Amino acid sequence: MFASQPLNGSKPEQYAQLAGQARALLAGERDRVANAANLCALVTHALPDLNWVGFYFYDGRELVVGPFQGLPACVRIPLDRGVCGAAARTRSTQRVDDVHAVADHIACDAASHSELVVPLLDGERLIGVFDLDSPRPARFDAEDQAGLEALAGIYVASLR
Ligand code: SME
């Protein structure tokens, strides 16, 4: 049974603890669905103010929803659409303080106010994106971005 450990200290310290938990959780398993599912559950329970945490996988043409925690979401996202598409297309993290100000945002849960999307890259190869939504405006700052990019890296490394 997994016992969640409370995080403490500064935000970077908390993300370092969460990274350790993620490494332990994914160790010894390479299945991309299994590891995505467990990472979503870990992050959802560890971090406050999130209403959607999940994965979209790139099928060679578009993004297809994978494991997530939150309300049912749109299944397919072309790379030229939405915040997720932008992260996949540009291969750079998208941090959006107010999704209502982004014309191209795809609303899956009306409660979402801010969003962070990290592209998942194995070298040059696009695997998909790791997407987090919050009901709180500007929920994600640069420290969250760094911490969540590190978690995304742990996920990608677990598949090798
Ligand atoms: N908001 C995303 C779509 C995915 S949902 O947030 C789960 C976007 O604009 O790409």
Side-chain angles (χ1 to χ4, degrees):
M1 191 180 69
F2 181 80
S4 71
Q5 305 291 324
L7 306 176
N8 49 57
S10 68
K11 208 192 276 193
E13 287 167 348
Q14 293 190 28
Y15 275 110
Q17 291 155 27
L18 191 53
Q21 292 178 19
R23 269 188 216 97
L25 187 62
L26 307 188
E29 179 54 63
R30 293 181 58 220
D31 185 90
R32 75 173 187 173
V33 172
N35 286 353
N38 261 339
L39 189 59
C40 288
L42 179 74
V43 170
T44 297
H45 290 280
L47 301 180
D49 300 329
L50 300 175
N51 61 317
W52 205 90
V53 177
F55 285 73
Y56 278 87
F57 293 125
Y58 181 56
D59 72 354
R61 204 168 69 91
E62 55 194 359
L63 297 169
V64 184
V65 76
F68 65 91
Q69 304 248 327
L71 289 183
C74 53
V75 174
R76 290 177 181 271
I77 301 177
L79 292 206
D80 61 356
R81 287 231 35 226
V83 183
C84 289
R89 189 174 68 247
T90 64
R91 297 172 171 232
S92 62
T93 297
Q94 306 292 303
R95 180 151 54 92
V96 179
D97 286 346
D98 179 5
V99 295
H100 304 304
V102 177
D104 195 28
H105 169 253
I106 301 167
C108 292
D109 180 344
S112 296
H113 211 125
S114 56
E115 180 163 16
L116 185 92
V117 187
V118 182
L120 302 169
L121 296 165
D122 187 13
E124 292 289 298
R125 191 170 66 90
L126 178 68
I127 295 171
V129 301
F130 182 38
D131 180 19
L132 301 99
D133 286 24
S134 172
R136 186 151 66 77
R139 158 69 179 79
F140 306 99
D141 64 15
E143 290 179 343
D144 293 296
Q145 179 173 339
L148 291 161
E149 286 174 344
L151 289 180
I154 290 166
Y155 172 74
V156 172
S158 77
L159 309 181
R160 289 180 192 133

